[in-house]
Amino acid sequence: MDVVKKQSSGVSDVGAWAMNVISSVGLIMANKQLMSPAGYAFVFATTLTGFHFSMTALIGLVSNATGHSTRKKVPLWELLWFSVVANTSITGMNLSLMLNSVGFYQISKLSMIPVVCVMEWILHGKHYSDKVKIAVVVVVVGVGVCTVTDVKVNAQGFICACVAILSTSLQQISIGSLQKKYSIGSFELLSQTAPIQALSLLLFGPFVDYYLTGKLLASYKFSSSALFFILLSCSLAVFCNISQYLCIGRFSATSFQVLGHMKTVCVLILGWLLFDSELTLKNILGMAIAILGMVVYSWAVEADNKLKPRLQHCPKILLKKTLNC
């Protein structure tokens, strides 16, 4: 029975992760077509995120109304606090991308892995083995090699990048913490936070986008094709949001960051296949190193998980001498 449960749990973990990778990569490809000058030039990224959460909130409302999901009580102040952190993350990322070079933006995203590790250690007392630390370094180096190009930064951009890194790391840690604290499922938590995020992003998003782009949402001429891609983007974002909460609830914020760079590799490959992006030997080498790091990380985490029961059953005196009890 335990073996069956373990296999079922493993299949569920793989399914959640596959959903996140596929929906995230699909969302990036759809947004690239929607927002690029060669596509439909819909440059209002923050407002688009508001549309994403609006659809997520609508699906959550319908699910609760039809009895497919239950609404567990989470204090309003915690939902508001989480929404502020999440929206700060979105705005900070957009500002960081606007004010910094692409190279520094990629470095700031890579720095989230060690930041999440440090924050989990400070907030939850979590410790990492040497094997996990080495694997994290390998992943960071690999993704850095294949994505980082020019690195330029200014004071404003540096501050925005720091805000984005801290708020995104805190948001991802909080997802897992809230689920455990209130014994709430990923979709139930998302359905309660999505309406708050949607409302605030739709209210303030157009002003943020105007500051970023100098263009007004009201001046954009919507076409049927652009509306189709907006709807496609929103649909993919729903799966992306749900799978993010699922993955962090099942794994950890650190694992989500490390394995999440598989999406970076997929985006580079699809960009080369679909959008004629350049794929150099440096990109290929970086991707190979990153994938190796992800494999090593998965092995290291699994080895640590197998070691925990042994540590719990070993007497404290023997633990100092041996782990072979």
Side-chain angles (χ1 to χ4, degrees), residues 18-244:
M19 184 198 297
N20 184 257
V21 172
I22 294 170
S23 60
S24 297
V25 174
L27 178 61
I28 291 170
M29 294 294 109
N31 285 350
K32 186 175 179 66
Q33 179 64 25
L34 177 63
M35 303 179 73
S36 67
Y40 299 101
F42 187 84
V43 295
F44 311 99
T46 310
T47 305
L48 180 62
T49 308
F51 293 159
H52 292 168
F53 281 105
S54 296
M55 179 171 281
T56 304
L58 178 62
I59 290 175
L61 183 65
V62 171
S63 179
N64 288 332
T66 55
H68 286 89
S69 60
T70 57
R71 185 179 178 87
K72 292 187 178 180
K73 186 173 179 58
V74 178
L76 179 61
W77 73 268
E78 292 217 50
L79 295 176
L80 290 172
W81 174 83
F82 175 84
S83 299
V84 168
V85 172
N87 287 350
T88 301
S89 165
I90 293 166
T91 306
M93 280 296 182
N94 289 339
L95 287 171
S96 176
L97 183 58
M98 182 193 78
L99 295 172
N100 298 312
S101 66
V102 174
F104 185 79
Y105 177 74
Q106 290 293 346
I107 288 176
S108 67
K109 288 181 68 177
L110 287 174
S111 68
M112 282 183 202
I113 297 178
V115 169
V116 167
C117 291
V118 171
M119 291 183 74
E120 285 194 318
W121 171 63
I122 293 173
L123 296 175
H124 303 298
K126 188 171 183 177
H127 294 277
Y128 301 90
S129 66
D130 291 338
K131 299 188 293 292
V132 171
K133 292 174 184 175
I134 292 171
V136 166
V137 171
V138 173
V139 172
V140 169
V141 170
V143 178
V145 168
C146 67
T147 61
V148 175
T149 52
D150 60 312
V151 180
K152 297 177 183 177
V153 63
N154 54 65
Q156 281 184 314
F158 181 77
I159 293 171
C160 288
C162 289
V163 170
I165 292 166
L166 291 172
S167 57
T168 303
S169 302
L170 185 58
Q171 178 217 5
Q172 293 182 356
I173 292 171
S174 298
I175 290 173
S177 298
L178 288 173
Q179 288 187 50
K180 291 176 183 176
K181 184 177 180 180
Y182 295 103
S183 300
I184 187 172
S186 54
F187 183 73
E188 285 77 13
L189 177 61
L190 179 60
S191 66
Q192 293 191 51
T193 58
I196 303 172
Q197 288 186 251
L199 181 61
S200 54
L201 287 170
L202 290 178
L203 284 175
F204 299 106
F207 298 101
V208 174
D209 289 331
Y210 178 73
Y211 173 74
L212 293 172
T213 65
K215 297 180 180 180
L216 289 170
L217 178 64
S219 65
Y220 182 79
K221 295 181 180 179
F222 289 90
S223 64
S224 57
S225 298
L227 287 172
F228 168 78
F229 271 93
I230 290 173
L231 183 61
L232 176 63
S233 177
C234 290
S235 302
L236 289 168
V238 171
F239 287 102
C240 186
N241 288 333
I242 292 173
S243 60
Q244 179 187 9

Side-chain angles (χ1 to χ4, degrees), residues 305-320:
N305 288 338
K306 289 180 179 178
L307 188 62
K308 284 179 183 178
R310 294 171 61 192
L311 293 175
Q312 290 173 354
H313 289 91
C314 286
K316 291 183 179 180
I317 295 176
L318 291 177
L319 277 175
K320 296 179 182 179

Side-chain angles (χ1 to χ4, degrees), residues 241-253:
N241 288 333
I242 292 173
S243 60
Q244 179 187 9
Y245 279 56
L246 274 172
C247 287
I248 296 177
R250 289 174 177 272
F251 310 116
S252 69

